[in-house]
Amino acid sequence: MRILLLTHAFNSLTQRLGAELQRRGHEISIEFDIADSVAEEAVALFKPDLIVAPYLRRAIPESIWRKHVCLVVHPGIVGDRGPSALDWAIQGGETEWGVTVLQAEAEMDAGPVWASAGFPLRAAKKSSIYRNEVTQAAVTAVLQAVERFAAGNFAPKPVAACEDARGRLRPLMKQADRAIDWQRDDTVTVLKKINAADGFPGVVDELFGDTCHIFDTWPESLLQFPGSQPGDLVARRETAVLRRTADGAVWIGHAKRAGDFKLPVTLAYAAEATALPEAKLDGWWRVDGQTWQDIAYEESGSGQNAVGFLSFEFYNGAMSTTQCERLQRALAWAKQRPVRVLVLLGGADFWSNGIHLNVIEAASLNEGSPADESWNNINAMNDLALELIEAGDQITVSALAGNAGAGGCFLARAADLVWVRDGVLQNPHYKNMGNLYGSEYWTYLLPRRVGAEGAQKIMRDRQPLTAQRAVETGFSDACLTGDTQAFRIDVARRAMEIAAAPDLEARLAAKRESRARDEAAKPLAAYRDEELSHMRRNFYGFDPSYHVARHHFVRKSLASWTPRHLARHRDLNWKIPA
Ligand code: COA
């Protein structure tokens, strides 16, 4: 079928649905929901058999839903309606939730039901639930709805006739519903409130006497603060600050000041945070107990068969200069451990999304230079990638439980093996960010895996790679099924098998020889210099595209057109297949 995806943005859910439908032989084109007339034009050009709306912020125009079946993905159980479905579910402590695929009609989210899928609701950030459980359930339900539509004999049921309809209409969740009472709310309540608002819109609160939106919390149960009161800010660590609740304390990682954009709290309130006592962690070993630790190292197995695991839980997968430098130090330290397999686990929701565009943009707030900060950040990323490429004494594995984008994909590719959880998406291209050329040794790493032509195609097409597709193209080495926990267990088992295999020494020797041969043919420094000469032009040259794109990305400017590589029906050569 020809399926038009009508969406507010090409977010991860839309990317995943597009890829899954394409994989089943459907022809997909995408249009952003910018204006009724633009959507109508897209429908006229593409003449879809079916329209799917994975992520909309407003109703589909009547001129479209009257003539075409439009399937809308709603992140709520059957009967649930309203724009804050997940927010209410998380804040209200629901334990089971779901996704419903409805047919668009006059009343929003009230049309007949084509399919639904449920899941247990974790206590986690809304953005994490959306990228994991919601996305997976949406894929299941949309594929079922599309099959039913194709069969031609399915009659979608009105909500009132669905036996499993236990949801109801709920209003937009307001800041008054989210407000934290630091004197009364215990840690669990505070976590629920901030999780329900993460990554958007955040909870309006005060930090250092200034009104802002707060995001990104973690519980703390190891530290004690005698003499402090609930609500007091009591410590800082790396990018976060610690605040007392009624019965404990929580780390707050990110804040958005009025008129600004989201930043690590210790950058948004740099001077104020410095005055707080530092609660530094010693070294990189994972701390036992509840605390916030962005970089953590663990080992399993013993003696010859020991395997090292390095996690880096950076918010949104964005990696600033300082974070790259710290991670490089942790990696260098881990390489000295008596382990012969080293697994880089990244974070649970993202493995890495490359340089930290918000921190770079923030340089302009402090009369610094975003170009300089971009330069520092890409060099720190490159140093980190180099540390990984040059690990001669270990087999290295990047294990992606969450998505990766741009430079983050190539940082992962710097390991010997890349294992990806089924359902994870990689976007191994840079051009969407104002024609960035990219670095992280991609010109060395990518063609070795997919050939010169394959590399050109990946960079040119700018399409998300599903885990299966990544393995088919050679970009990744294995696609492992299961949720994040099952994935990590499988990763550990496979890594221990490699460590215990009789051919490990031979494998390591072959790795060192191959690296030496590559280095003799063309040194890594030459790849880096070439890439950075392009990046220098991106950052300091006369074409401001990268700075403009970053500005809009960080400030979340609304799209005013759909990029041509997504809206295939707008290609000059596009014709409806006979
Ligand atoms: N720096 C700072 N923030 C980043 C980021 C980066 N490199 N990459 C993603 N984010 C943030 C987004 O702003 C968003 O923030 P929010 O919490 O305010 O919503 C959040 O991470 C999730 O990103 P989103 O775009 O909604 O996720 P997605 O899964 O739909 O898309 C990407 C993933 C990677 C395709 C997309 O985020 C992207 O293009 N990122 C930029 C990658 C890049 O160009 N890096 C620089 C070159 S190395």
Side-chain angles (χ1 to χ4, degrees), residues 10-13 15 127 131 198-200 215 262 315-319 350 352-359 378 381 403-408 425 427 429-430 432-433 436 438-440 535 546 553-554 556:
F10 196 44
N11 68 347
S12 51
L13 170 57
Q15 295 178 21
S127 50
R131 289 200 181 90
D198 212 322
F200 180 81
F215 309 82
K262 211 186 269 187
Y315 189 67
N316 285 339
M319 293 166 61
F350 289 104
S352 168
N353 278 329
I355 56 177
H356 202 313
L357 298 167
N358 291 42
V359 169
I378 199 65
M381 273 296 273
N403 296 350
L425 288 172
N427 273 286
H429 45 82
Y430 298 89
N432 289 350
M433 198 51 63
L436 261 193
S439 194
E440 290 98 0
M535 289 297 257
Y546 156 70
F553 178 82
V554 164
K556 315 241 169 269

Side-chain angles (χ1 to χ4, degrees), residues 475-556:
F475 188 68
S476 302
D477 303 288
C479 163
L480 313 183
T481 52
D483 62 12
T484 299
Q485 216 184 344
F487 170 75
R488 289 195 168 164
I489 292 170
D490 199 12
V491 164
R493 186 186 57 75
R494 285 166 182 256
M496 283 180 2
E497 267 171 26
I498 296 177
D503 68 346
L504 180 68
E505 282 312 326
R507 201 167 169 176
L508 284 168
K511 167 180 169 173
R512 286 188 288 266
E513 273 163 32
S514 147
R515 176 83 278 285
R517 266 197 314 276
D518 286 355
E519 189 66 19
K522 178 171 173 180
L524 284 172
Y527 288 98
R528 179 169 174 155
D529 284 350
E530 284 168 14
E531 290 169 5
L532 287 181
S533 71
H534 290 276
M535 289 297 257
R536 189 179 275 285
R537 271 201 292 277
N538 287 141
F539 298 156
Y540 296 100
F542 64 87
D543 176 358
S545 300
Y546 156 70
H547 296 290
V548 172
R550 189 195 62 239
H551 174 94
H552 289 299
F553 178 82
V554 164
R555 291 181 168 77
K556 315 241 169 269

